[in-house]
Amino acid sequence: MKILVVGGGGREHAICWKLAQNPQVTGLWCAPGNGGIAEIAQCVDIAATDVDAMVAWAKENAMDFVVVAPDDPLALGMVDAMENAGIPAFGPSAEAAVIEASKIFSKDLMARYGIPSARCRVFEEMDPALEYVREQGAPIVVKADGLALGKGVVVAQSVEEAESAVRSMMADRKFGDAGTRVVIEECMTGPEVTVLAFCDGEHLSCMPSCQDHKRALDGNQGPNTGGMGAFSPSPNYTPEVAEECMRTIFLPTVAAMKAEGRPFRGVLYFGLMLTPDGPKVVEYNARFGDPECQVVLSLLDSDLLEIMQACRSGTLDQVDIRWRPEAACCLVLASGGYPGSYEKGYPISGLEQAGSSSVVFHAGTCRAEAGQILTNGGRVLGVTATGPTLAEAVDTAYAAAGCIEFQDMFFRRDIGRV
Ligand code: AMP
Ligand code: GLY
């Protein structure tokens, strides 16, 4: 089978790595890919968001299956476009991906179907939004409606901070059209847990729970990032919590999407907060998280392609999905300056040595002509290790990261140390 994976980060490297383990996969391509993906797949120089070019390439090259991993092409309808061109594709339709692409849609869905989430109000005008913030007081949460690279959320500790977040989204258009409308939410408290689930429109199958670390610096300091590391499973996600989430959140969400005529097929990401009043939804994503994907896929014992095909054909309930009863940790090595501006093009050393005990997924790397791997993004590598306990997985990942060097490299020292 010839397979194309769309995207070019650590998540896509993990997906390619797992798909490549299936002997039926005789050809693997990735667009645009990166320096590490190039070792196991052929990289195709097409931007992940270029729907027309991607479909044309997949058709011309007779792909048997396409996996669309990032949020933007999903929201743009790349899965629909592939299917319309006769190419089977994994991922939600644009109509289903809206559960991530519009916070207003997802908040409204939760309200109408009784799925627990933070109380909220939506604003299209700035003055009423500012007034509401002053009336409610702090802490309070301000969110841009659309996709904003995971950075469109401000958990404001003071009214002034909330006001300035509203102004920067609505007047200064910090996130462009994504901030034309804002959602202002009650601030919830409690530990956060993420659960990813394979869905086929009707059934869902949960992956092991995980947690990511969004802030750039140790002790959850510094600016928000796409994610500086992740681990699995979460000690907060007990069997009792899992049962409650399944009953009050997971099954109702899948049923709601089906009832809305937007059956969700793909990976549904539940960002949860375990509040004193029970588990509540912080956010939905319509895809694997990055770096959550790297930790959960490293625990998957079954074949990923078979699961993805079952999600598409509505037969997920017939697949036996097995997970290794172990722990996993992914440590992101980033370029100095990230998530702000940073330099690219620095040579990376120690990859082979690190790879003897861990799997080093590449995120922002490229390959120079002589084969040297260079930095090419903010999040550069995701050093991923498994072990019988979380502490062992964490220690192995840190030991492996200790072998790797590039100029201005930085990483958090407290990933998975819970
Ligand atoms: P999101 O992009 O919606 O996941 O938000 C990013 C982060 O902001 C979450 O992981 C939470 O830590 C925090 N957050 C979002 N919404 C709330 C809320 N209503 N109450 C407290 N924290 C929140
Ligand atoms: N790591 C968070 C995300 O992928 O949305």
Side-chain angles (χ1 to χ4, degrees):
M1 273 186 82
K2 295 161 79 173
I3 300 188
L4 169 67
V5 175
V6 175
R11 166 181 53 205
E12 288 76 17
H13 193 180
I15 292 171
C16 287
W17 167 80
K18 195 66 200 166
L19 289 173
Q21 293 169 13
N22 180 329
Q24 285 179 318
V25 177
T26 47
L28 187 58
W29 285 262
C30 187
N34 64 39
I37 291 173
E39 285 171 21
I40 52 173
Q42 293 184 53
C43 295
V44 184
D45 190 17
I46 300 175
T49 48
D50 193 340
V51 176
D52 292 343
M54 202 69 80
V55 173
W57 187 92
K59 236 176 136 172
E60 234 167 73
N61 294 277
M63 290 296 119
D64 297 303
F65 198 68
V66 177
V67 177
V68 182
D71 52 356
D72 290 325
L74 289 169
L76 289 169
M78 189 178 280
V79 168
D80 313 68
M82 290 288 176
E83 292 280 351
N84 289 338
I87 304 163
F90 175 82
S93 63
E95 286 200 331
V98 75
I99 197 167
E100 169 173 7
S102 169
K103 293 208 192 292
I104 293 174
F105 172 85
S106 65
K107 295 299 296 191
D108 179 58
L109 185 84
M110 289 185 272
R112 285 189 294 115
Y113 289 86
I115 299 166
S117 173
R119 239 183 321 111
C120 81
R121 288 268 302 268
V122 178
F123 293 91
E124 302 194 5
E125 304 285 339
M126 188 167 71
D127 288 337
L130 291 171
E131 202 170 306
Y132 182 72
V133 160
R134 288 182 207 118
E135 202 180 280
Q136 294 290 310
I140 194 158
V141 181
V142 182
K143 301 186 174 184
D145 173 43
L147 296 175
L149 292 171
K151 293 165 197 155
V153 175
V154 177
V155 181
Q157 298 303 332
S158 67
V159 169
E160 294 70 41
E161 195 187 341
E163 286 177 329
S164 91
V166 169
R167 286 200 187 92
S168 72
M169 287 177 200
M170 300 192 89
D172 309 341
R173 298 178 54 78
K174 187 168 174 200
F175 302 109
D177 286 343
T180 315
R181 300 192 290 179
V182 300
V183 180
I184 300 183
E185 274 188 10
E186 152 202 19
C187 188
M188 303 185 287
T189 55
E192 286 187 60
V193 178
T194 295
V195 176
L196 309 180
F198 292 110
C199 300
D200 70 355
E202 175 132 25
H203 314 97
L204 95 169
S205 177
C206 291
M207 308 183 208
S209 63
C210 58
Q211 277 177 241
D212 77 341
H213 299 260
K214 287 199 170 73
R215 299 294 197 96
L217 307 174
D218 288 5
N220 295 326
Q221 301 297 307
N224 259 321
T225 70
M228 292 299 292
F231 62 91
S232 172
S234 162
N236 298 314
Y237 195 69
T238 61
E240 295 71 40
V241 172
E243 186 280 323
E244 189 173 359
C245 290
M246 184 59 90
R247 185 166 41 82
T248 63
I249 296 174
F250 304 159
L251 293 173
T253 301
V254 172
M257 291 299 279
K258 189 177 171 216
E260 291 291 303
R262 303 169 187 265
F264 192 97
R265 300 188 185 89
V267 172
L268 189 49
Y269 173 121
F270 297 93
L272 307 168
M273 198 170 273
L274 308 180
T275 76
D277 304 328
K280 295 189 181 182
V281 176
V282 178
E283 64 163 346
Y284 293 115
N285 289 331
R287 54 176 172 82
F288 275 112
D290 184 344
E292 292 88 335
C293 180
Q294 292 85 312
V295 288
V296 292
L297 286 190
S298 64
L299 296 173
L300 177 61
D301 236 353
S302 303
D303 179 55
L304 180 61
L305 179 60
E306 189 193 347
I307 300 169
M308 289 178 156
Q309 287 174 319
C311 287
R312 182 178 166 274
S313 60
T315 53
L316 192 58
D317 57 330
Q318 293 161 32
V319 185
D320 176 28
I321 304 179
R322 290 178 312 277
W323 301 92
R324 280 195 280 139
E326 292 201 335
C329 171
C330 173
L331 186 62
V332 171
L333 310 186
S335 296
Y338 174 78
S341 61
Y342 50 82
E343 297 291 324
K344 296 182 190 176
Y346 294 131
I348 304 172
S349 65
L351 287 168
E352 212 160 294
Q353 226 181 324
S356 64
S357 58
S358 295
V359 184
V360 183
F361 294 118
H362 291 221
T365 70
C366 62
R367 187 172 279 267
E369 278 189 4
Q372 170 72 50
I373 299 286
L374 305 175
T375 66
N376 192 39
R379 294 192 290 177
V380 177
L381 300 167
V383 180
T384 308
T386 58
T389 64
L390 179 57
E392 286 164 272
V394 168
D395 286 346
T396 306
Y398 274 97
C403 305
I404 297 175
E405 275 181 60
F406 55 86
Q407 195 174 320
D408 300 338
M409 172 175 99
F410 85 96
F411 56 91
R412 279 181 59 161
R413 308 277 162 177
D414 59 354
I415 301 299
R417 306 222 198 262
V418 288

